[in-house]
Structure formats: C-alpha cells, structure tokens
Amino acid sequence: MKSSSLSSSSSSRCLYVPGPVIVGAGPSGLATAACLKEKGVPSVILERSNCIASLWQLKTYDRLRLHLPKQFCELPLMGFPSDFPTYPSKQQFVDYLEAYARKFGIEPRFDETVSWAEYDGTLGFWRVRSIGAKGEETEYVCRWLVVATGENAEASTPEMEGMGEFGGDVRHTSSYKSGQEFRGKRVLVVGCGNSGMEVCLDLCNHNAKPSLVVRDTVHVLPREMLGLSTFGLSMWLLKWLPLRLVDRFLLVVSRLMLGDTARFGLARPELGPLELKNLSGKTPVLDVGTLAKIKSGDIKVRPSIKSLKRHAVEFAGGKIENFDAIILATGYKSNVPSWLKEKDMFSEKDGYPRRPFPNGWKGERGLYAVGFTKRGLLGTSMDAMKIAQDIQRCWKEEAKPHHYDKR
C-alpha cells in the first residue's frame, strides 16, 4: 500500500499511514495484518530484522519443533498443510509463515527499528519513529498502533557473580544451534523450561556431557497421554470438568507414566500445572525424552549457582565443578517500555499489558497489543481477530461521509 508523505528531508522523512502501523513481523504481526486485510483495512508492518519471524529463523536451535500439535498453532484464516506432521519442525513452521505472508500479500518494511512511539494529543495521531539499516530516520503518523513485538523481544540473561572470570563459552539459547560444537565438552545449562530441557537432550545426542541447573519447582508432563496430546486432552477435559480436577488428572497420569520427578531433582510446584499457567504464565515442560536421560544419569541435575570461577561453577551448598561452557536457557522478555512512551496500557516493569488475558489486547486512543497473552499462538490468534474487528469498526465509522452545515 502507498503512504502519503507529509514532509521530507535528507536525514528524515514523515509518512502518513491511513491504516494501522504494526510493530513486529513475527506470527503476531502477520496474523493481525492478515485479519485486517480480510476486512479491507490496509496496514504497514515495521520489522527491525531482515526477515519475518526473526526469532524462529535466527534465534532458535536446529532441533526445535512446535511443542503443541499443529491445530493449536495455526494462525487465523489459514491452516497448516495436511501433509505436515503433528508437531511441525522449525523449518516447516517458517515455511508456513512465509506462505501465510504470501497468501495475504503481507510485505513488512524490514530493517526498520522502532526507536520511539508516542500519542500526539494535538494531532490526535500516533507518531512512530524508526531507524533504517543506514541510520535514516522515518516518522510514521497513524491513527492506530498495534504492538506486536511480543513476549520474546529480548534475551533475558541473569547477573551471575564471577561472569567475567569464567573464561569459557557463555551464551544464551538464542545463540545456540546444535550440540555438534560441544561434542565431548562439559556443558552447564541454566534453566529447566522447555528450551533448557531440550537443549540438554540435544547435547546428550551429540555426545556432550550436560548438567542442568534447576533453581525452582517445575511441572514435567508427558507430551502425549492416552494416545492424545496432553495439551489437546487438557483443552477437551476443561469443557466438562473444573480446572483443579483436570490438574489432578494430569498429575496422576504423569506420575504413572514418568514416576516421581522429585526423586530426580525436579520437584513439582504446590499449584497444579494449569492453575499455575493461568496465574503466572509459567508453562509446564512437555517431555520429549529428556527425563529418561536424567534418570539414566546422562544429564546431571544441579542446584542454583552461587558464583562462577575460572572454568568452574560453585553451586548452592558449596560444591564446585568444572565446565567448558554455560548455556543460559533463561528465556526472553518484552522490550516495549524501551520505545513506547505510554504508561496506562503497558507496565513499565515487565513490558506486558497491565490487564490480564483476555482483556489485554486493547488500550486507549487506538493502541493495541497482540501476542502478550502467555498463551502461545492460540492467544495470538484470538487477539489478532479482536483487534481487526475493532479497527474495522472505527475504519468504517471514519469513512462515513460527514454532512456539514454550509451556512
């Protein structure tokens, strides 16, 4: 779509966008643009990277697959190809997103990093400033702003005493591709979520010697129960039973299938997996083979880190072990407060909408959020459809001819 220019100079230009500006070309931004397009509303997507779904394409490990069955991960208006497996690979998911963008004619403006966005009360519009690959500045003026940078905008890395002293390879999972380069090495993985567990398994499969830091309680569930996906079974049971009863069922079946995980250093939280997810957003780990490696002793479980030393780690309790590398599976965080100058909708503390799901998608003065539900791609799709519907209503209102008194 074409934007009309308000002014221009050699170093910066100003563009008026008739529809919404969407910040971020991950699944959330693409889903919103597609839903808007279907309703006849044009949009502009600004993306700091050089491709769509940059987290998936550039910052994920090779063996990654979708943790949930494909029917729970499709975006609105287009399902996965029928020949895709139940749990599509990283590349298959990227192929799906690229086909999705082609189908809806979505062409993000790549290499545009949004540095600042603020509502201009005098103009009655949002002003969004971006910096291009060569440092050129563009200001977009728009009636609606959709924040689609999501929960995983920046790697979250903990401060650890002695970080500079360690001397070995310390990296976040966003820089980890495969266990191939760690063959034969002693590797400490920090964080026992789905990524940490899977990276440990990958290291094992490449003959590395992984240890896993478990700092907190964690729910480990089998990926499938009774021949069905655990997630799908949970969704179905919740239609008929109260949440706590479904939680109890999941824990009984998990105990039968996996044994007592606490015996291997993986103590369960007090709250059940679904209740905990609803209250804190903390996702249970869906086991894809890591637990068997922990049971066999191929993966060692370790307590929290006290400090790092030269090629060694001191754990809580005083034990010191040597390691060649440390991989931080410590997750990601929102970066919204760093560029969006707005305090009502988004929390400055964590960069999430202040109102919890399902009410966090809409703010004031044409501001929206998509992909902050802590409910994965299913939550993203729900947000995208609501946003498109709401913007279409405003779009139609504003397109109505106005009759002025000519006296």
Side-chain angles (χ1 to χ4, degrees):
M1 64 150 273
K2 290 178 183 172
S3 308
S4 56
S5 180
L6 292 181
S7 67
S8 74
S9 70
S10 57
S11 61
S12 67
R13 56 186 186 147
C14 186
L15 298 174
Y16 169 69
V17 178
V21 164
I22 300 169
V23 184
S28 298
L30 298 178
T32 308
C35 290
L36 285 164
K37 188 119 186 205
E38 194 227 6
K39 295 185 180 299
V41 180
S43 63
V44 165
I45 300 184
L46 304 179
E47 168 56 48
R48 65 181 174 178
S49 189
N50 61 357
C51 61
I52 64 165
S54 62
L55 180 74
W56 280 85
Q57 297 214 55
L58 309 176
K59 296 182 178 180
T60 49
Y61 42 91
D62 296 342
R63 66 157 284 138
L64 181 64
R65 303 186 84 84
L66 290 179
H67 288 114
L68 304 182
K70 60 184 178 182
Q71 68 266 32
F72 298 110
C73 300
E74 59 192 31
L75 299 186
L77 312 170
M78 180 178 142
F80 282 92
S82 56
D83 60 345
F84 272 28
T86 305
Y87 302 96
S89 68
K90 162 183 165 173
Q91 191 53 54
Q92 285 171 322
F93 185 57
V94 169
D95 291 345
Y96 164 73
L97 293 177
E98 287 182 333
Y100 188 86
R102 282 196 302 276
K103 176 175 179 176
F104 296 102
I106 301 167
E107 295 179 359
R109 299 186 176 195
F110 295 119
D111 297 311
E112 291 221 25
T113 303
V114 172
S115 59
W116 173 89
E118 189 169 27
Y119 185 75
D120 188 322
T122 311
L123 278 178
F125 285 88
W126 286 93
R127 297 170 67 179
V128 183
R129 200 173 293 155
S130 81
I131 299 166
K134 295 173 185 169
E136 68 281 15
E137 205 170 84
T138 306
E139 188 171 293
Y140 296 88
V141 177
C142 56
R143 173 79 181 72
W144 303 279
L145 176 62
V146 181
V147 178
T149 47
E151 301 160 352
N152 302 319
E154 307 289 345
S156 180
T157 53
E159 287 294 318
M160 288 189 286
E161 191 187 324
M163 188 83 105
E165 202 184 320
F166 179 68
D169 183 354
V170 180
R171 68 173 80 174
H172 189 267
T173 45
S174 55
S175 304
Y176 174 92
K177 291 297 171 196
S178 155
Q180 180 73 38
E181 62 180 302
F182 297 98
R183 194 175 292 276
K185 291 185 177 176
R186 294 159 301 185
V187 185
L188 184 65
V189 178
V190 182
C192 61
N194 279 302
S195 293
M197 293 285 232
E198 207 161 327
V199 164
C200 269
L201 182 60
D202 190 51
L203 286 163
C204 258
N205 292 341
H206 285 92
N207 297 319
K209 296 165 187 164
S211 295
L212 178 68
V213 170
V214 179
R215 298 169 293 175
D216 206 354
T217 53
V218 59
H219 278 300
V220 181
L221 307 176
R223 187 167 70 171
E224 295 187 337
M225 289 180 175
L226 314 177
L228 299 165
S229 93
T230 299
F231 182 80
L233 182 61
S234 303
M235 293 297 100
W236 183 78
L237 287 171
L238 285 171
K239 291 178 183 174
W240 315 101
L241 300 169
L243 184 133
R244 287 189 177 180
L245 205 54
V246 177
D247 265 345
R248 203 172 303 162
F249 168 81
L250 293 176
L251 292 174
V252 167
V253 177
S254 294
R255 177 79 180 236
L256 290 170
M257 292 179 70
L258 305 176
D260 178 10
T261 59
R263 282 179 51 216
F264 309 103
L266 301 164
R268 291 192 183 276
E270 295 277 315
L271 294 175
L274 300 180
E275 191 176 2
L276 186 66
K277 171 78 174 157
N278 279 355
L279 287 173
S280 70
K282 190 175 178 183
T283 307
V285 170
L286 296 174
D287 182 51
V288 291
T290 309
L291 198 60
K293 296 286 187 186
I294 291 173
K295 288 176 181 177
S296 68
D298 292 321
I299 296 172
K300 309 274 190 278
V301 172
R302 295 289 176 256
S304 57
I305 294 171
K306 188 177 174 188
S307 67
L308 305 187
K309 302 185 180 308
R310 182 83 183 147
H311 291 293
V313 174
E314 182 181 353
F315 296 102
K319 187 177 180 183
I320 297 174
E321 272 187 75
N322 293 327
F323 290 97
D324 301 300
I326 297 173
I327 294 167
L328 303 170
T330 45
Y332 293 85
K333 58 187 177 185
S334 163
N335 69 358
V336 175
S338 70
W339 59 270
L340 181 64
K341 307 307 163 196
E342 188 276 346
K343 294 176 184 176
D344 296 331
M345 183 178 183
F346 284 89
S347 159
E348 290 171 284
K349 185 166 160 271
D350 63 6
Y352 277 76
R354 293 182 191 277
R355 294 167 74 194
F357 177 84
N359 303 310
W361 61 277
K362 185 178 180 182
E364 299 295 319
R365 305 184 296 272
L367 180 64
Y368 299 89
V370 58
F372 292 88
T373 64
K374 298 184 180 177
R375 279 163 175 76
L377 294 161
L378 210 53
T380 286
S381 295
M382 291 165 76
D383 279 352
M385 291 187 284
K386 286 179 192 167
I387 290 167
Q389 203 168 3
D390 203 59
I391 291 177
Q392 183 201 31
R393 184 179 50 76
C394 305
W395 178 267
K396 282 181 172 174
E397 284 294 314
E398 295 186 7
K400 282 179 183 173
H402 295 283
H403 299 285
Y404 297 104
D405 192 339
K406 292 180 183 174
R407 282 177 297 175

